[in-house]
Amino acid sequence: MRWIIALFKWIGSFVALAIIAIVAYVFWFSGSSHKPTGIHRFETYQPVNGPILVFGGNRGTGLGIVKELRARGESVTVAVRSSSNTAELEKLGVDTVVVDALKADTVESALLSKPFVAVISTLGTSRGERAQRPDFIGNRHVIDATKSAGIRRLLLVTVIGAGDSVEAAPLPSRRFLAEVIELKTRAEDHLRASGLDYTIIRPGGLTDGAASGEAFLADDPATFSFIARTDLAKLVADSLGDPATIGKTYSAYDPSRKTMATMFRDR
């Protein structure tokens, strides 16, 4: 009987150590060991000189991108759902067009509503969308409609873990976001095959904390860090105004937010 109790104690200790190791990896070591290569240096921002249509621009990262573009004097329209809260967009003087990204005809109508010269999509899964995620279907509709409308420029925001960056994402992310990562990978592949002048930007974990001003883009699929939405928004806007980013896939990296432990300073 004693050896059984001892065995259970040993197993319990082993499990506890394993949990501690996993927590340590996630909070202190994930993303901290790799130094990014292929860093992109932006030149002077070139105005887009025409209206921009943003999908997913009424909240989160998308709203941050809209604010950044408006601060640069760009004309922005945001594709919203009929149920979306547009109060923030109205304050920014942004036009809206009602779209259901899961229905191709509504996306096509939105793209034809103005002479848009560029499209940005941050479409992704949010709460309540598990039955039919827009990560691939919605973005596929945006890509196809952009091409059909004769618009050349499209910038897509996905996630580190998609495509050839799968090994860069922390193991827990790969496990719990496996379905989303697979769908975003399909969206990336569809965009590359479209013939459009695309840029793909993959952020890691996102925070609503203050901008660090240190974030940059790296043409390096092994890159991972956490990043503030405000920093990401600036990188997206900079990319739209830089023709050198066309045909590129980047990871967004913030050297001051290498690990999840740094996220706690934003609380």
Side-chain angles (χ1 to χ4, degrees):
M1 189 66 179
R2 289 183 178 179
W3 68 269
I4 295 177
I5 295 174
L7 178 62
F8 275 109
K9 286 183 178 179
W10 181 85
I11 293 174
S13 299
F14 178 80
V15 171
L17 287 173
I19 292 173
I20 291 171
I22 292 171
V23 170
Y25 166 75
V26 171
F27 282 83
W28 286 284
F29 299 112
S30 60
S32 63
S33 61
H34 180 75
K35 185 176 182 179
T37 60
I39 298 172
H40 179 74
R41 304 298 182 186
F42 289 106
E43 300 296 333
T44 303
Y45 179 78
Q46 298 182 24
V48 178
N49 295 322
I52 303 164
L53 181 59
V54 179
F55 288 83
N58 66 300
R59 57 185 171 83
T61 299
L63 180 58
I65 293 169
V66 171
K67 290 178 178 178
E68 183 68 30
L69 291 172
R70 288 296 293 143
R72 299 180 189 213
E74 299 289 5
S75 173
V76 181
T77 298
V78 177
V80 299
R81 296 176 178 177
S82 58
S83 59
S84 295
N85 183 342
T86 60
E88 286 295 319
L89 299 176
E90 291 170 6
K91 293 177 184 177
L92 294 170
V94 171
D95 292 334
T96 59
V97 57
V98 176
V99 172
D100 181 348
L102 298 177
K103 297 180 179 179
D105 58 336
T106 69
V107 178
E108 291 168 1
S109 296
L111 266 297
L112 296 173
S113 64
K114 284 185 181 181
F116 295 109
V117 297
V119 177
I120 298 174
S121 178
T122 67
L123 288 176
T125 301
S126 64
R127 293 175 183 175
E129 296 175 329
R130 294 182 63 86
Q132 194 171 15
R133 299 183 189 273
D135 301 80
F136 172 60
I137 296 174
N139 282 314
R140 182 186 65 191
H141 290 161
V142 171
I143 294 163
D144 292 346
T146 298
K147 185 174 182 178
S148 295
I151 303 166
R152 294 297 310 163
R153 192 76 169 101
L154 195 155
L155 196 149
L156 177 66
V157 179
T158 60
V159 67
I160 292 177
D164 60 356
S165 69
V166 62
E167 295 298 325
L171 185 59
S173 297
R174 280 181 264 162
R175 186 177 184 87
F176 295 115
L177 299 177
E179 181 182 356
V180 170
I181 287 173
E182 192 272 334
L183 293 174
K184 290 187 182 297
T185 296
R186 292 172 63 188
E188 289 187 1
D189 291 342
H190 192 71
L191 178 54
R192 293 191 190 95
S194 69
L196 295 174
D197 293 339
Y198 73 86
T199 304
I200 296 170
I201 295 179
R202 299 164 170 166
L206 295 169
T207 172
D208 291 321
S212 72
E214 299 180 35
F216 56 80
L217 297 181
D219 183 9
D220 179 358
T223 298
F224 178 87
S225 80
F226 297 86
I227 187 170
R229 295 181 192 275
T230 46
D231 282 316
L232 177 60
K234 184 178 185 302
L235 293 176
V236 171
D238 284 340
S239 298
L240 192 64
D242 183 358
T245 66
I246 292 175
K248 300 289 188 178
T249 300
Y250 296 106
S251 294
Y253 183 82
D254 184 346
S256 72
R257 286 187 165 101
K258 292 181 179 181
T259 66
M260 190 178 289
T262 61
M263 302 280 275
F264 283 95
R265 70 184 179 207
D266 297 328
R267 302 298 179 185

PDB file of all heavy atoms in Angstrom, residues 114-144:
ATOM      1  N   LYS A 114     -17.655  52.402 -54.426  1.00  0.00           N
ATOM      2  CA  LYS A 114     -16.788  53.562 -54.627  1.00  0.00           C
ATOM      3  C   LYS A 114     -15.606  53.138 -55.493  1.00  0.00           C
ATOM      4  O   LYS A 114     -15.319  51.932 -55.607  1.00  0.00           O
ATOM      5  CB  LYS A 114     -16.253  54.090 -53.288  1.00  0.00           C
ATOM      6  CG  LYS A 114     -17.222  54.888 -52.452  1.00  0.00           C
ATOM      7  CD  LYS A 114     -16.510  55.440 -51.224  1.00  0.00           C
ATOM      8  CE  LYS A 114     -17.461  56.235 -50.329  1.00  0.00           C
ATOM      9  NZ  LYS A 114     -16.746  56.784 -49.149  1.00  0.00           N
ATOM     10  N   PRO A 115     -14.881  54.082 -56.064  1.00  0.00           N
ATOM     11  CA  PRO A 115     -13.679  53.733 -56.843  1.00  0.00           C
ATOM     12  C   PRO A 115     -12.483  53.463 -55.919  1.00  0.00           C
ATOM     13  O   PRO A 115     -11.491  54.196 -55.913  1.00  0.00           O
ATOM     14  CB  PRO A 115     -13.462  54.978 -57.705  1.00  0.00           C
ATOM     15  CG  PRO A 115     -13.995  56.100 -56.878  1.00  0.00           C
ATOM     16  CD  PRO A 115     -15.206  55.528 -56.173  1.00  0.00           C
ATOM     17  N   PHE A 116     -12.572  52.389 -55.143  1.00  0.00           N
ATOM     18  CA  PHE A 116     -11.521  52.067 -54.184  1.00  0.00           C
ATOM     19  C   PHE A 116     -10.208  51.756 -54.901  1.00  0.00           C
ATOM     20  O   PHE A 116     -10.200  51.145 -55.979  1.00  0.00           O
ATOM     21  CB  PHE A 116     -11.928  50.878 -53.320  1.00  0.00           C
ATOM     22  CG  PHE A 116     -13.113  51.143 -52.426  1.00  0.00           C
ATOM     23  CD1 PHE A 116     -14.344  50.545 -52.672  1.00  0.00           C
ATOM     24  CD2 PHE A 116     -12.994  51.999 -51.352  1.00  0.00           C
ATOM     25  CE1 PHE A 116     -15.428  50.791 -51.853  1.00  0.00           C
ATOM     26  CE2 PHE A 116     -14.066  52.260 -50.515  1.00  0.00           C
ATOM     27  CZ  PHE A 116     -15.296  51.656 -50.779  1.00  0.00           C
ATOM     28  N   VAL A 117      -9.113  52.150 -54.263  1.00  0.00           N
ATOM     29  CA  VAL A 117      -7.796  51.868 -54.830  1.00  0.00           C
ATOM     30  C   VAL A 117      -7.030  50.841 -53.991  1.00  0.00           C
ATOM     31  O   VAL A 117      -5.981  50.349 -54.419  1.00  0.00           O
ATOM     32  CB  VAL A 117      -6.961  53.159 -54.955  1.00  0.00           C
ATOM     33  CG1 VAL A 117      -7.623  54.125 -55.917  1.00  0.00           C
ATOM     34  CG2 VAL A 117      -6.749  53.822 -53.595  1.00  0.00           C
ATOM     35  N   ALA A 118      -7.532  50.542 -52.808  1.00  0.00           N
ATOM     36  CA  ALA A 118      -6.870  49.566 -51.936  1.00  0.00           C
ATOM     37  C   ALA A 118      -7.869  48.969 -50.959  1.00  0.00           C
ATOM     38  O   ALA A 118      -8.866  49.609 -50.614  1.00  0.00           O
ATOM     39  CB  ALA A 118      -5.718  50.209 -51.183  1.00  0.00           C
ATOM     40  N   VAL A 119      -7.579  47.752 -50.527  1.00  0.00           N
ATOM     41  CA  VAL A 119      -8.432  47.035 -49.584  1.00  0.00           C
ATOM     42  C   VAL A 119      -7.562  46.469 -48.467  1.00  0.00           C
ATOM     43  O   VAL A 119      -6.453  45.984 -48.714  1.00  0.00           O
ATOM     44  CB  VAL A 119      -9.191  45.882 -50.276  1.00  0.00           C
ATOM     45  CG1 VAL A 119     -10.027  45.090 -49.267  1.00  0.00           C
ATOM     46  CG2 VAL A 119     -10.064  46.412 -51.405  1.00  0.00           C
ATOM     47  N   ILE A 120      -8.061  46.554 -47.246  1.00  0.00           N
ATOM     48  CA  ILE A 120      -7.394  45.947 -46.086  1.00  0.00           C
ATOM     49  C   ILE A 120      -8.391  45.025 -45.410  1.00  0.00           C
ATOM     50  O   ILE A 120      -9.542  45.406 -45.196  1.00  0.00           O
ATOM     51  CB  ILE A 120      -6.921  47.012 -45.076  1.00  0.00           C
ATOM     52  CG1 ILE A 120      -5.892  47.947 -45.718  1.00  0.00           C
ATOM     53  CG2 ILE A 120      -6.332  46.352 -43.826  1.00  0.00           C
ATOM     54  CD1 ILE A 120      -5.496  49.113 -44.827  1.00  0.00           C
ATOM     55  N   SER A 121      -7.945  43.818 -45.078  1.00  0.00           N
ATOM     56  CA  SER A 121      -8.826  42.890 -44.360  1.00  0.00           C
ATOM     57  C   SER A 121      -8.169  42.401 -43.081  1.00  0.00           C
ATOM     58  O   SER A 121      -7.047  41.897 -43.098  1.00  0.00           O
ATOM     59  CB  SER A 121      -9.186  41.681 -45.225  1.00  0.00           C
ATOM     60  OG  SER A 121     -10.003  40.783 -44.483  1.00  0.00           O
ATOM     61  N   THR A 122      -8.904  42.564 -41.988  1.00  0.00           N
ATOM     62  CA  THR A 122      -8.493  41.994 -40.698  1.00  0.00           C
ATOM     63  C   THR A 122      -9.521  40.959 -40.246  1.00  0.00           C
ATOM     64  O   THR A 122      -9.598  40.637 -39.069  1.00  0.00           O
ATOM     65  CB  THR A 122      -8.352  43.081 -39.618  1.00  0.00           C
ATOM     66  OG1 THR A 122      -9.650  43.632 -39.324  1.00  0.00           O
ATOM     67  CG2 THR A 122      -7.426  44.189 -40.069  1.00  0.00           C
ATOM     68  N   LEU A 123     -10.317  40.467 -41.199  1.00  0.00           N
ATOM     69  CA  LEU A 123     -11.395  39.542 -40.853  1.00  0.00           C
ATOM     70  C   LEU A 123     -10.865  38.316 -40.124  1.00  0.00           C
ATOM     71  O   LEU A 123      -9.864  37.709 -40.522  1.00  0.00           O
ATOM     72  CB  LEU A 123     -12.127  39.083 -42.117  1.00  0.00           C
ATOM     73  CG  LEU A 123     -13.018  40.109 -42.822  1.00  0.00           C
ATOM     74  CD1 LEU A 123     -13.592  39.513 -44.099  1.00  0.00           C
ATOM     75  CD2 LEU A 123     -14.144  40.571 -41.895  1.00  0.00           C
ATOM     76  N   GLY A 124     -11.543  37.959 -39.066  1.00  0.00           N
ATOM     77  CA  GLY A 124     -11.169  36.774 -38.308  1.00  0.00           C
ATOM     78  C   GLY A 124     -12.268  36.398 -37.352  1.00  0.00           C
ATOM     79  O   GLY A 124     -13.298  37.074 -37.251  1.00  0.00           O
ATOM     80  N   THR A 125     -12.055  35.328 -36.652  1.00  0.00           N
ATOM     81  CA  THR A 125     -13.058  34.796 -35.749  1.00  0.00           C
ATOM     82  C   THR A 125     -13.192  35.638 -34.493  1.00  0.00           C
ATOM     83  O   THR A 125     -12.207  36.064 -33.909  1.00  0.00           O
ATOM     84  CB  THR A 125     -12.692  33.361 -35.336  1.00  0.00           C
ATOM     85  OG1 THR A 125     -12.611  32.565 -36.519  1.00  0.00           O
ATOM     86  CG2 THR A 125     -13.725  32.766 -34.404  1.00  0.00           C
ATOM     87  N   SER A 126     -14.427  35.875 -34.102  1.00  0.00           N
ATOM     88  CA  SER A 126     -14.708  36.483 -32.803  1.00  0.00           C
ATOM     89  C   SER A 126     -15.714  35.594 -32.100  1.00  0.00           C
ATOM     90  O   SER A 126     -16.177  34.598 -32.649  1.00  0.00           O
ATOM     91  CB  SER A 126     -15.265  37.906 -32.966  1.00  0.00           C
ATOM     92  OG  SER A 126     -16.512  37.883 -33.623  1.00  0.00           O
ATOM     93  N   ARG A 127     -16.063  35.956 -30.889  1.00  0.00           N
ATOM     94  CA  ARG A 127     -17.000  35.128 -30.128  1.00  0.00           C
ATOM     95  C   ARG A 127     -18.325  35.000 -30.862  1.00  0.00           C
ATOM     96  O   ARG A 127     -18.838  35.946 -31.435  1.00  0.00           O
ATOM     97  CB  ARG A 127     -17.232  35.758 -28.759  1.00  0.00           C
ATOM     98  CG  ARG A 127     -15.984  35.742 -27.876  1.00  0.00           C
ATOM     99  CD  ARG A 127     -16.215  36.480 -26.595  1.00  0.00           C
ATOM    100  NE  ARG A 127     -14.999  36.534 -25.789  1.00  0.00           N
ATOM    101  CZ  ARG A 127     -14.893  37.208 -24.655  1.00  0.00           C
ATOM    102  NH1 ARG A 127     -15.919  37.875 -24.184  1.00  0.00           N
ATOM    103  NH2 ARG A 127     -13.750  37.210 -23.991  1.00  0.00           N
ATOM    104  N   GLY A 128     -18.882  33.804 -30.842  1.00  0.00           N
ATOM    105  CA  GLY A 128     -20.172  33.569 -31.470  1.00  0.00           C
ATOM    106  C   GLY A 128     -20.087  33.204 -32.937  1.00  0.00           C
ATOM    107  O   GLY A 128     -21.108  33.045 -33.592  1.00  0.00           O
ATOM    108  N   GLU A 129     -18.851  33.071 -33.469  1.00  0.00           N
ATOM    109  CA  GLU A 129     -18.697  32.776 -34.887  1.00  0.00           C
ATOM    110  C   GLU A 129     -18.106  31.391 -35.142  1.00  0.00           C
ATOM    111  O   GLU A 129     -17.588  31.117 -36.220  1.00  0.00           O
ATOM    112  CB  GLU A 129     -17.808  33.828 -35.549  1.00  0.00           C
ATOM    113  CG  GLU A 129     -18.401  35.218 -35.535  1.00  0.00           C
ATOM    114  CD  GLU A 129     -17.446  36.254 -36.089  1.00  0.00           C
ATOM    115  OE1 GLU A 129     -16.231  36.075 -35.935  1.00  0.00           O
ATOM    116  OE2 GLU A 129     -17.930  37.244 -36.653  1.00  0.00           O
ATOM    117  N   ARG A 130     -18.170  30.534 -34.181  1.00  0.00           N
ATOM    118  CA  ARG A 130     -17.540  29.231 -34.315  1.00  0.00           C
ATOM    119  C   ARG A 130     -18.209  28.363 -35.384  1.00  0.00           C
ATOM    120  O   ARG A 130     -17.555  27.548 -36.026  1.00  0.00           O
ATOM    121  CB  ARG A 130     -17.562  28.489 -32.977  1.00  0.00           C
ATOM    122  CG  ARG A 130     -16.717  29.151 -31.904  1.00  0.00           C
ATOM    123  CD  ARG A 130     -16.735  28.339 -30.632  1.00  0.00           C
ATOM    124  NE  ARG A 130     -16.149  27.024 -30.839  1.00  0.00           N
ATOM    125  CZ  ARG A 130     -14.863  26.756 -30.760  1.00  0.00           C
ATOM    126  NH1 ARG A 130     -14.011  27.728 -30.517  1.00  0.00           N
ATOM    127  NH2 ARG A 130     -14.403  25.542 -30.954  1.00  0.00           N
ATOM    128  N   ALA A 131     -19.513  28.538 -35.601  1.00  0.00           N
ATOM    129  CA  ALA A 131     -20.217  27.685 -36.558  1.00  0.00           C
ATOM    130  C   ALA A 131     -19.722  27.912 -37.978  1.00  0.00           C
ATOM    131  O   ALA A 131     -19.581  26.966 -38.744  1.00  0.00           O
ATOM    132  CB  ALA A 131     -21.718  27.939 -36.478  1.00  0.00           C
ATOM    133  N   GLN A 132     -19.455  29.152 -38.336  1.00  0.00           N
ATOM    134  CA  GLN A 132     -18.982  29.469 -39.680  1.00  0.00           C
ATOM    135  C   GLN A 132     -17.986  30.620 -39.585  1.00  0.00           C
ATOM    136  O   GLN A 132     -18.338  31.783 -39.631  1.00  0.00           O
ATOM    137  CB  GLN A 132     -20.150  29.832 -40.602  1.00  0.00           C
ATOM    138  CG  GLN A 132     -19.760  29.836 -42.074  1.00  0.00           C
ATOM    139  CD  GLN A 132     -20.962  29.975 -42.983  1.00  0.00           C
ATOM    140  OE1 GLN A 132     -22.044  30.334 -42.534  1.00  0.00           O
ATOM    141  NE2 GLN A 132     -20.782  29.696 -44.256  1.00  0.00           N
ATOM    142  N   ARG A 133     -16.737  30.274 -39.471  1.00  0.00           N
ATOM    143  CA  ARG A 133     -15.699  31.272 -39.259  1.00  0.00           C
ATOM    144  C   ARG A 133     -15.407  32.035 -40.556  1.00  0.00           C
ATOM    145  O   ARG A 133     -15.350  31.439 -41.629  1.00  0.00           O
ATOM    146  CB  ARG A 133     -14.411  30.599 -38.780  1.00  0.00           C
ATOM    147  CG  ARG A 133     -14.538  29.851 -37.447  1.00  0.00           C
ATOM    148  CD  ARG A 133     -13.188  29.289 -37.051  1.00  0.00           C
ATOM    149  NE  ARG A 133     -13.244  28.391 -35.918  1.00  0.00           N
ATOM    150  CZ  ARG A 133     -13.169  28.767 -34.646  1.00  0.00           C
ATOM    151  NH1 ARG A 133     -13.055  30.037 -34.362  1.00  0.00           N
ATOM    152  NH2 ARG A 133     -13.196  27.876 -33.674  1.00  0.00           N
ATOM    153  N   PRO A 134     -15.169  33.356 -40.472  1.00  0.00           N
ATOM    154  CA  PRO A 134     -14.865  34.144 -41.665  1.00  0.00           C
ATOM    155  C   PRO A 134     -13.386  34.148 -42.043  1.00  0.00           C
ATOM    156  O   PRO A 134     -13.014  34.768 -43.037  1.00  0.00           O
ATOM    157  CB  PRO A 134     -15.321  35.550 -41.254  1.00  0.00           C
ATOM    158  CG  PRO A 134     -15.019  35.583 -39.783  1.00  0.00           C
ATOM    159  CD  PRO A 134     -15.332  34.189 -39.280  1.00  0.00           C
ATOM    160  N   ASP A 135     -12.549  33.472 -41.264  1.00  0.00           N
ATOM    161  CA  ASP A 135     -11.111  33.547 -41.463  1.00  0.00           C
ATOM    162  C   ASP A 135     -10.692  33.144 -42.874  1.00  0.00           C
ATOM    163  O   ASP A 135      -9.763  33.732 -43.434  1.00  0.00           O
ATOM    164  CB  ASP A 135     -10.388  32.667 -40.444  1.00  0.00           C
ATOM    165  CG  ASP A 135     -10.690  33.077 -39.022  1.00  0.00           C
ATOM    166  OD1 ASP A 135     -11.769  32.709 -38.514  1.00  0.00           O
ATOM    167  OD2 ASP A 135      -9.873  33.782 -38.419  1.00  0.00           O
ATOM    168  N   PHE A 136     -11.348  32.143 -43.442  1.00  0.00           N
ATOM    169  CA  PHE A 136     -11.074  31.790 -44.833  1.00  0.00           C
ATOM    170  C   PHE A 136     -12.203  32.237 -45.762  1.00  0.00           C
ATOM    171  O   PHE A 136     -11.970  32.962 -46.724  1.00  0.00           O
ATOM    172  CB  PHE A 136     -10.851  30.292 -45.000  1.00  0.00           C
ATOM    173  CG  PHE A 136     -10.754  29.882 -46.453  1.00  0.00           C
ATOM    174  CD1 PHE A 136      -9.765  30.422 -47.267  1.00  0.00           C
ATOM    175  CD2 PHE A 136     -11.664  28.993 -47.002  1.00  0.00           C
ATOM    176  CE1 PHE A 136      -9.685  30.068 -48.621  1.00  0.00           C
ATOM    177  CE2 PHE A 136     -11.594  28.642 -48.338  1.00  0.00           C
ATOM    178  CZ  PHE A 136     -10.596  29.174 -49.152  1.00  0.00           C
ATOM    179  N   ILE A 137     -13.426  31.840 -45.447  1.00  0.00           N
ATOM    180  CA  ILE A 137     -14.544  32.148 -46.344  1.00  0.00           C
ATOM    181  C   ILE A 137     -14.683  33.654 -46.567  1.00  0.00           C
ATOM    182  O   ILE A 137     -14.770  34.128 -47.704  1.00  0.00           O
ATOM    183  CB  ILE A 137     -15.860  31.569 -45.788  1.00  0.00           C
ATOM    184  CG1 ILE A 137     -15.802  30.047 -45.733  1.00  0.00           C
ATOM    185  CG2 ILE A 137     -17.038  32.007 -46.657  1.00  0.00           C
ATOM    186  CD1 ILE A 137     -16.999  29.412 -45.063  1.00  0.00           C
ATOM    187  N   GLY A 138     -14.698  34.413 -45.484  1.00  0.00           N
ATOM    188  CA  GLY A 138     -14.839  35.854 -45.599  1.00  0.00           C
ATOM    189  C   GLY A 138     -13.694  36.483 -46.372  1.00  0.00           C
ATOM    190  O   GLY A 138     -13.907  37.312 -47.266  1.00  0.00           O
ATOM    191  N   ASN A 139     -12.479  36.081 -46.046  1.00  0.00           N
ATOM    192  CA  ASN A 139     -11.328  36.643 -46.750  1.00  0.00           C
ATOM    193  C   ASN A 139     -11.281  36.189 -48.212  1.00  0.00           C
ATOM    194  O   ASN A 139     -10.855  36.964 -49.080  1.00  0.00           O
ATOM    195  CB  ASN A 139     -10.035  36.254 -46.030  1.00  0.00           C
ATOM    196  CG  ASN A 139      -9.800  37.100 -44.792  1.00  0.00           C
ATOM    197  OD1 ASN A 139      -9.942  38.316 -44.824  1.00  0.00           O
ATOM    198  ND2 ASN A 139      -9.453  36.453 -43.685  1.00  0.00           N
ATOM    199  N   ARG A 140     -11.718  34.989 -48.482  1.00  0.00           N
ATOM    200  CA  ARG A 140     -11.779  34.543 -49.885  1.00  0.00           C
ATOM    201  C   ARG A 140     -12.741  35.417 -50.675  1.00  0.00           C
ATOM    202  O   ARG A 140     -12.447  35.822 -51.809  1.00  0.00           O
ATOM    203  CB  ARG A 140     -12.222  33.083 -49.959  1.00  0.00           C
ATOM    204  CG  ARG A 140     -12.264  32.526 -51.386  1.00  0.00           C
ATOM    205  CD  ARG A 140     -12.858  31.136 -51.400  1.00  0.00           C
ATOM    206  NE  ARG A 140     -14.264  31.161 -51.001  1.00  0.00           N
ATOM    207  CZ  ARG A 140     -14.973  30.062 -50.722  1.00  0.00           C
ATOM    208  NH1 ARG A 140     -14.399  28.868 -50.759  1.00  0.00           N
ATOM    209  NH2 ARG A 140     -16.241  30.167 -50.372  1.00  0.00           N
ATOM    210  N   HIS A 141     -13.891  35.736 -50.079  1.00  0.00           N
ATOM    211  CA  HIS A 141     -14.856  36.610 -50.753  1.00  0.00           C
ATOM    212  C   HIS A 141     -14.255  37.997 -51.009  1.00  0.00           C
ATOM    213  O   HIS A 141     -14.455  38.580 -52.080  1.00  0.00           O
ATOM    214  CB  HIS A 141     -16.124  36.744 -49.912  1.00  0.00           C
ATOM    215  CG  HIS A 141     -16.939  35.489 -49.865  1.00  0.00           C
ATOM    216  ND1 HIS A 141     -17.884  35.250 -48.894  1.00  0.00           N
ATOM    217  CD2 HIS A 141     -16.948  34.390 -50.663  1.00  0.00           C
ATOM    218  CE1 HIS A 141     -18.445  34.076 -49.102  1.00  0.00           C
ATOM    219  NE2 HIS A 141     -17.887  33.529 -50.167  1.00  0.00           N
ATOM    220  N   VAL A 142     -13.513  38.503 -50.019  1.00  0.00           N
ATOM    221  CA  VAL A 142     -12.879  39.817 -50.173  1.00  0.00           C
ATOM    222  C   VAL A 142     -11.841  39.785 -51.299  1.00  0.00           C
ATOM    223  O   VAL A 142     -11.788  40.678 -52.156  1.00  0.00           O
ATOM    224  CB  VAL A 142     -12.218  40.259 -48.852  1.00  0.00           C
ATOM    225  CG1 VAL A 142     -11.370  41.516 -49.066  1.00  0.00           C
ATOM    226  CG2 VAL A 142     -13.286  40.517 -47.792  1.00  0.00           C
ATOM    227  N   ILE A 143     -11.021  38.758 -51.307  1.00  0.00           N
ATOM    228  CA  ILE A 143      -9.971  38.628 -52.332  1.00  0.00           C
ATOM    229  C   ILE A 143     -10.584  38.529 -53.726  1.00  0.00           C
ATOM    230  O   ILE A 143     -10.178  39.241 -54.660  1.00  0.00           O
ATOM    231  CB  ILE A 143      -9.094  37.397 -52.032  1.00  0.00           C
ATOM    232  CG1 ILE A 143      -8.315  37.612 -50.736  1.00  0.00           C
ATOM    233  CG2 ILE A 143      -8.131  37.117 -53.200  1.00  0.00           C
ATOM    234  CD1 ILE A 143      -7.743  36.338 -50.135  1.00  0.00           C
ATOM    235  N   ASP A 144     -11.577  37.670 -53.876  1.00  0.00           N
ATOM    236  CA  ASP A 144     -12.193  37.462 -55.187  1.00  0.00           C
ATOM    237  C   ASP A 144     -12.908  38.723 -55.667  1.00  0.00           C
ATOM    238  O   ASP A 144     -12.826  39.087 -56.851  1.00  0.00           O
ATOM    239  CB  ASP A 144     -13.176  36.294 -55.135  1.00  0.00           C
ATOM    240  CG  ASP A 144     -12.485  34.951 -54.917  1.00  0.00           C
ATOM    241  OD1 ASP A 144     -11.250  34.894 -55.074  1.00  0.00           O
ATOM    242  OD2 ASP A 144     -13.188  33.972 -54.585  1.00  0.00           O
TER     243      ASP A 144
END
